[in-house]
Amino acid sequence: MGAPDQSLATLRFFGDELIPDEISALLGASPTVSYQKGQELIGSRTGIKRITKTGSWRLNAADRKPEDLESQIFEILEQLTRDLSIWTSLARFEPDLYCGLFMGSSNDGMGLSAEALFALGQRGIALGLEIYDHDDEESTAQSGRVDDSSIFRVCGLL
């Protein structure tokens, strides 16, 4: 069993009452991207304006090639408060670590240590995995249906 070719990871908080500056102050870090409910956003490539339906605070880890989700988890958590009472207060925003795993073959796999899983669990962070099969990526690339930026958008990374 080989390791996936690439991994992406983003810690995410969402909520109608979410105020990004308050989340940043509590966690002790700035997000990669954030916005409040009702904020106007303008697409960088399209110029299309839209109004956000809910608030969001997201912090990305650096992409890893080959996959190293374990280090991405700790890259994110080491930037943030270790005070578990703060994490408890943020539970209403249902934090999750949303991950994209890009397989290089049809039989790739990966694991996480008990330490990484415990760190997520202590903070009430759910783990979401979006797994992209190598064969699906090839057929998608050949058909021209999805480009890399679309995959990143699906993962909540753009």
Side-chain angles (χ1 to χ4, degrees), residues 13 23 25-28 77-91 95 119-125:
F13 295 85
I23 303 295
L26 289 167
L27 292 176
L77 294 181
E78 288 170 358
Q79 297 177 58
L80 308 173
T81 184
R82 295 178 185 203
D83 184 340
L84 297 181
S85 66
I86 289 175
W87 286 95
T88 299
S89 75
L90 295 173
L120 293 172
Q122 278 186 307
R123 292 161 177 80
I125 301 171

Side-chain angles (χ1 to χ4, degrees), residues 38-107:
Q39 185 175 335
E40 181 179 86
L41 298 180
I42 301 172
S44 60
R45 290 186 305 161
T46 63
I48 295 173
K49 294 180 184 180
R50 70 177 182 93
I51 304 299
T52 60
K53 295 180 180 179
T54 193
S56 175
W57 190 99
R58 298 186 303 244
L59 179 60
N60 298 348
D63 298 356
R64 298 292 197 286
K65 291 182 182 182
E67 170 273 327
D68 191 358
L69 187 55
E70 179 104 5
S71 71
Q72 289 171 301
I73 290 170
F74 289 111
E75 175 188 328
I76 289 171
L77 294 181
E78 288 170 358
Q79 297 177 58
L80 308 173
T81 184
R82 295 178 185 203
D83 184 340
L84 297 181
S85 66
I86 289 175
W87 286 95
T88 299
S89 75
L90 295 173
R92 68 187 182 276
F93 299 119
E94 300 179 8
D96 74 342
L97 186 71
Y98 193 80
C99 307
L101 297 169
F102 299 85
M103 296 171 52
S105 71
S106 61
N107 192 32

Side-chain angles (χ1 to χ4, degrees), residues 1-5 102-109 132-135:
M1 172 175 69
D5 284 353
F102 299 85
M103 296 171 52
S105 71
S106 61
N107 192 32
D108 288 346
Y132 297 91
D133 183 294
H134 176 71
D135 291 335

Side-chain angles (χ1 to χ4, degrees), residues 99-147:
C99 307
L101 297 169
F102 299 85
M103 296 171 52
S105 71
S106 61
N107 192 32
D108 288 346
M110 49 81 56
L112 292 172
S113 70
E115 180 183 11
L117 295 170
F118 183 68
L120 293 172
Q122 278 186 307
R123 292 161 177 80
I125 301 171
L127 178 63
L129 302 172
E130 186 84 24
I131 302 170
Y132 297 91
D133 183 294
H134 176 71
D135 291 335
D136 288 345
E137 289 178 32
E138 281 184 3
S139 64
T140 298
Q142 290 172 358
S143 71
R145 291 181 306 190
V146 179
D147 62 16

